[in-house]
Structures are given as C-alpha cells and as structure tokens.
Amino acid sequence: MSCFPKLSKTLLNSIQFTKEIEKLLPDYQEKTFLCAASGGADSMVLLHFMLSVGLKIQVAHVNYKLRGEASDKDQKVVEEFCAKHTVQCHIYTVTEKDAQPENSIQLWARDLRYRFFNDLLNKENIDFIVTAHHLNDELETFLINLSRGAGIKGLSGIPNNQNKIIRPLLGFSKQEIYNFAKTNQIAYREDASNQKNDYLRNRFRNLLIPELVSICPDFLQQFSRSIHYLAQANTFIEEESETVFSDLSIDKGSYWILDKTQLLQQRDLVQFQILKKFGITHPLEINKMLRAQSGSRFVLGEYYFWINRNELLISTDEAVFRENSDDILLIESFEKAQQMNFQMDLTEYMQDLDCAPSMNKNKWVFDSCKMIFPIKLRRKKKDDVFYPLGMKGKKKVSKFFKDEKISILAKPKIWLLVDGNDCVLGVLPFRQDGRCAQGELKNAEFCFFWSII
C-alpha cells in the first residue's frame, strides 16, 4: 500500500510531449533543434517525438569507443534512424587526441560531448540542444547532490531550459519511456555498463531507487512534485538575495563595493547566494573573508578581494588596485617656474579621484625660494612623512590616509607633490606640507591650483 496520496498519472504520448515543448518554448515551431542521441531508449524515443511533432531537427552522437563493438552498434542504431527519416546526423568518434583520463571518465565524457554539441550549434546555426533526461535522471542527480551536502540549488533538479539546452522528458519516468518504445516498436540499444555498480549514480539507480519505489510505488511522482516546490523555493531565494545584493552593493564598472557590515547581518544562506556570484561557495571561505581585518587581500579564481574597513572590494582586474609608480615631472627648475609665472593648474591629475575632501580651498601657495627643484608628482611610498599645514609635527602619509578614511581603492589614485629631495610637499588635494608654505615675508610665491567637479 502506498505511503503517499495517489497522484493521477499522465501517460507519455505525442500530445503530452507537445504540451511539454510548448511550456518550454511557446514559439517552438519556429526553432531548430540539435538532438543528442546515444542510441538508448530515452534518446531514441525523444527523436521519435521530435519528428512526430514536425520539428526541424539534426542529430548528434558521440562514439566514445569505451565498449568496443557495442559502441559501434549504438552509433549504427542512430545512423539508421536518421537515414530512414532523412535527418542530418553528426558523429564524433573519440580518438587518442581526446586524452581519455584514468579517472573521472563520466565528467570527461560530458565535457567532450557538450563541446561537440555547442560547436555544432554555432556551425549549423541551430537554436537549441535537446537532451533526453527524464524523471529517473533527476532523482539520481538529487540523491548524488544530497549525499554531497548540496544547497537548495543543487537539490532543485535539472534545469528544463537553460543555456540553450531544453529537456522535455524530465516529467516522465524511465519506465514510461520503455513502455512507449516497446508499444511503438522503436529500436534502441541497452548500455550494459548501466547495470554495473562502478559509479555512484549507478548504485543509486540499481540499488537504492528500486527499494524506494518498492516501499512507495508513487515515489517518483511524489518526488516530481517535491522537486517542483524546491525549484520554486530556489527561484524565490535567488530573487530575494538579488534584491539584498542591490541594496548593499555599488557597481563601479571595473569593481564592486559591498557593504561588509550589512552583509554580516544577513543569514548564512543570503551571504552564500551573494558571494557565490564571485566564486566564494565554501562556508569557511565566506566566514574568513567577512571577518578579515581591514587591508586583507584575497585571490580566489578570477576574482581579487580587498577588505577596506567596512567595505569588501571585488574586481577581476588586479590593476584596478595596483599602485602606479610612474613619476610625473612638473617643473624642472626655478627658471622654468618663472616662465610659468609661478603658477600651475593640477586639475588633470585629479580626474579619477572620487574621494576628494569637501573644502573651499583649491590652491596651495609656496615660497618658491624655499622650494628645491625639480618638482614632481608621484604615488605614496612606504615610509613617506610630511608636516601637514595647520598641524603640529610630522605625520606618516599612511597614517594621514587612515585618519582621512581614504579607501584602499582611492589610495593608488592619489598623487603626492614632492621636491628635488623627494620630500613631500603635499597630499593632493587633501593637505599641503607646511615647511615651504608662503609665510609672512612675501617672497616670490608659487601657486598650485585645481578644480574638482
């Protein structure tokens, strides 16, 4: 006796298949399709339906040469079907150049065939790839992901329409497909390796799932309902997490700024959803990054991460945060200063500055007789110090940056005005050094000015 309420079953037939296609692609009749065919019952039934609905299809088959003569017979079944129905058939035969690995053969085979399919998609100008994944495949994938501690996305099922791949048979069981093939005398091949329990998927398929179905005959139908609910829940979580991400992030074009304080206040699930955009998926990595000290830097995959006080800065371009060490010569000598009428506009060196202080003063006036030429602009060095005008004593430029709360991203963009002895005359545009500032004696004064919009 079933331990679940009885569900009404929908028999697999052309009418039901057409309904599934319409759900996935309302304008399916205008599209072209590349059908992946292994020669097994599921893919051969798929080919039958695609033709019965009157769709424009081509067929792709990969002969992995893993089972000798049996692999060639699989290929022959596909070719004969295509020849009978005048369908263009593409065959890829694996050779030594494909470098078959000693382990992870299933992953290798999957990558190989999808590369082949996508190449054909582009070459033949085809709209979609169609695969014959069915309800049993979905249950196997669910169990595999469950055994690996997957999150809700991993437990939400195989996508039925994603990345130009559609899977119209996901709502039907393997048994329904076998029954249809037998009733309609559709030729297919049985892969004997599916009966071996060498792989985790096969062990679930051959050992666990039959037990589940024997205990609860409606298990597959009830699972189909549950996986649908999980998929809806995952969509909701992703949409809500995207809203949170928009609220706590700023897209600066070449990098992102995330409010670390706000992110820490979110649930673990939301933190995961947001940071997985940038390749961070392990809970320990998330915790380490969000609790790292200001100034910490990380590289994970293609992304560079910097912690700047309460901000998490993220970019794929390390150069965004790299300091530019090129010096800029402004004034070679006192004579050159005279030719310039003792004034110079520095506005062009502040165009990329997005952290300028709010102040009325937009010029620095120096006693040119105290200045040691040449005068240059350069970026900050490790031990730079200066004597801020209006303050007592000297201060490290790094400490000045910290006190002014200048971000890690802004620091590499700030220029220091330095003299011929490489002494700092000012941190543009924040604070002038007081040692060469114009005093009460009005000697020949040199004025640097700028405007910040």
Side-chain angles (χ1 to χ4, degrees), residues 17 56 64-66 69 72-73 97 128 187 193 205 213 218 222 267 269 287 315 345 375 414 449 451:
F17 181 83
K56 297 182 282 290
Y64 298 103
K65 293 292 185 179
L66 293 174
E69 185 180 349
D72 295 332
K73 289 181 177 179
K97 70 179 179 62
F128 291 94
S193 66
R205 176 185 300 157
V213 173
D218 285 336
Q222 297 289 359
R267 295 181 182 275
L269 177 60
N287 185 64
S315 178
D345 186 354
I375 305 299
I414 294 175
F449 62 92
S451 61

Side-chain angles (χ1 to χ4, degrees), residues 7-133:
L7 287 178
S8 59
K9 296 183 180 180
T10 302
L11 294 176
L12 177 58
N13 55 48
S14 294
I15 294 175
Q16 294 303 325
F17 181 83
T18 303
K19 288 181 179 179
E20 292 300 318
I21 287 284
E22 285 178 337
K23 285 185 206 173
L24 300 178
L25 296 170
D27 58 345
Y28 69 95
Q29 291 176 326
E30 302 171 11
K31 303 300 181 182
T32 53
F33 302 91
L34 179 69
C35 297
S38 65
D42 42 11
S43 63
M44 299 311 293
V45 166
L46 173 68
L47 294 184
H48 172 89
F49 280 130
M50 295 295 285
L51 288 178
S52 68
V53 174
L55 300 179
K56 297 182 282 290
I57 71 168
Q58 295 184 34
V59 173
H61 173 82
V62 178
N63 186 339
Y64 298 103
K65 293 292 185 179
L66 293 174
R67 295 181 293 114
E69 185 180 349
S71 293
D72 295 332
K73 289 181 177 179
D74 294 347
Q75 176 179 327
K76 184 178 180 182
V77 166
V78 175
E79 288 177 322
E80 287 178 347
F81 180 96
C82 292
K84 179 180 178 180
H85 298 281
T86 320
V87 174
Q88 186 171 355
C89 183
H90 305 274
I91 303 294
Y92 186 92
T93 302
V94 171
T95 61
E96 291 182 359
K97 70 179 179 62
D98 293 302
Q100 177 184 327
E102 294 182 4
N103 49 22
S104 301
I105 290 179
Q106 288 186 322
L107 289 177
W108 163 80
R110 184 186 187 281
D111 290 343
L112 188 149
R113 67 175 172 268
Y114 276 103
R115 281 200 307 271
F116 176 48
F117 298 160
N118 283 301
D119 286 346
L120 286 173
L121 211 66
N122 297 325
K123 180 182 176 182
E124 300 291 329
N125 196 27
I126 297 172
D127 296 312
F128 291 94
I129 297 167
V130 190
T131 71
H133 289 93

Side-chain angles (χ1 to χ4, degrees), residues 149-166:
I152 191 167
K153 184 176 180 64
L155 301 178
S156 298
I158 302 171
N160 58 13
N161 186 355
Q162 188 180 67
N163 299 326
K164 292 192 172 185
I165 303 172
I166 64 170

Side-chain angles (χ1 to χ4, degrees), residues 1-4 215-217:
M1 184 174 180
S2 174
C3 61
F4 293 106
I215 296 170
C216 302

Side-chain angles (χ1 to χ4, degrees), residues 214-450:
S214 70
I215 296 170
C216 302
D218 285 336
F219 188 89
L220 274 170
Q221 287 72 36
Q222 297 289 359
F223 166 74
S224 179
R225 173 184 287 179
S226 295
I227 206 81
H228 176 67
Y229 295 153
L230 284 171
Q232 287 185 321
N234 182 63
T235 299
F236 175 78
I237 290 169
E238 289 184 340
E239 289 174 351
E240 290 300 304
S241 298
E242 190 64 32
T243 299
V244 175
F245 175 69
S246 298
D247 291 341
L248 58 76
S249 66
I250 301 173
D251 183 357
K252 303 292 285 186
S254 58
Y255 62 93
W256 288 92
I257 301 176
L258 274 61
D259 187 315
K260 188 161 69 77
T261 302
Q262 286 190 45
L263 190 54
L264 275 167
Q265 294 171 354
Q266 305 301 320
R267 295 181 182 275
D268 292 349
L269 177 60
V270 177
Q271 292 176 3
F272 172 82
Q273 289 292 135
I274 289 173
L275 292 177
K276 76 175 182 179
K277 294 172 178 288
F278 307 103
I280 310 175
T281 57
H282 197 284
L284 293 178
E285 290 177 342
I286 293 173
N287 185 64
K288 179 181 178 181
M289 181 153 313
L290 293 184
R291 302 186 186 282
Q293 293 182 343
S294 182
S296 299
R297 301 188 177 200
F298 305 87
V299 180
L300 291 172
E302 62 178 315
Y303 290 99
Y304 298 88
F305 301 84
W306 284 260
I307 306 298
N308 178 48
R309 297 182 181 83
N310 294 322
E311 296 176 340
L312 173 59
L313 314 175
I314 307 172
S315 178
T316 55
D317 183 5
E318 185 185 14
V320 170
F321 309 100
R322 190 186 302 133
E323 294 190 10
N324 183 351
S325 60
D326 294 338
D327 296 351
I328 298 174
L329 178 62
L330 297 179
I331 313 166
E332 297 95 327
S333 62
F334 183 84
E335 290 73 25
K336 182 66 174 179
Q338 287 178 312
Q339 295 173 17
M340 299 169 65
N341 294 321
F342 295 102
Q343 61 181 351
M344 187 174 190
D345 186 354
L346 298 179
T347 300
E348 66 175 294
Y349 302 109
M350 302 184 199
Q351 296 303 307
D352 296 329
L353 200 60
D354 54 6
C355 64
S358 55
M359 58 173 63
N360 296 324
K361 186 174 181 180
N362 61 352
K363 67 177 181 179
W364 291 344
V365 181
F366 292 91
D367 184 340
S368 60
C369 294
K370 295 180 181 179
M371 297 173 73
I372 299 174
F373 293 89
I375 305 299
K376 299 183 296 181
L377 289 177
R378 65 165 173 80
R379 304 299 188 185
K380 181 185 78 68
K381 295 180 180 178
K382 182 180 179 182
D383 296 320
D384 278 332
V385 296
F386 76 127
Y387 292 76
L389 185 64
M391 297 183 183
K392 292 183 179 180
K394 66 181 178 180
K395 194 168 199 174
K396 280 192 172 184
V397 173
S398 57
K399 179 66 165 57
F400 179 79
F401 281 177
K402 184 177 181 180
D403 292 345
E404 293 293 319
K405 295 182 171 55
I406 297 172
S407 73
I408 291 173
L409 283 177
K411 290 175 185 178
K413 300 178 182 179
I414 294 175
W415 290 104
L416 305 187
L417 186 70
V418 298
D419 67 10
N421 289 336
D422 205 33
C423 292
V424 178
L425 299 177
V427 179
L428 282 171
F430 294 88
R431 190 62 65 95
Q432 179 183 358
D433 184 279
R435 288 170 292 180
C436 295
Q438 181 63 277
E440 294 180 4
L441 298 175
K442 298 297 182 181
N443 296 319
E445 62 181 29
F446 195 102
C447 178
F448 292 96
F449 62 92
W450 57 86

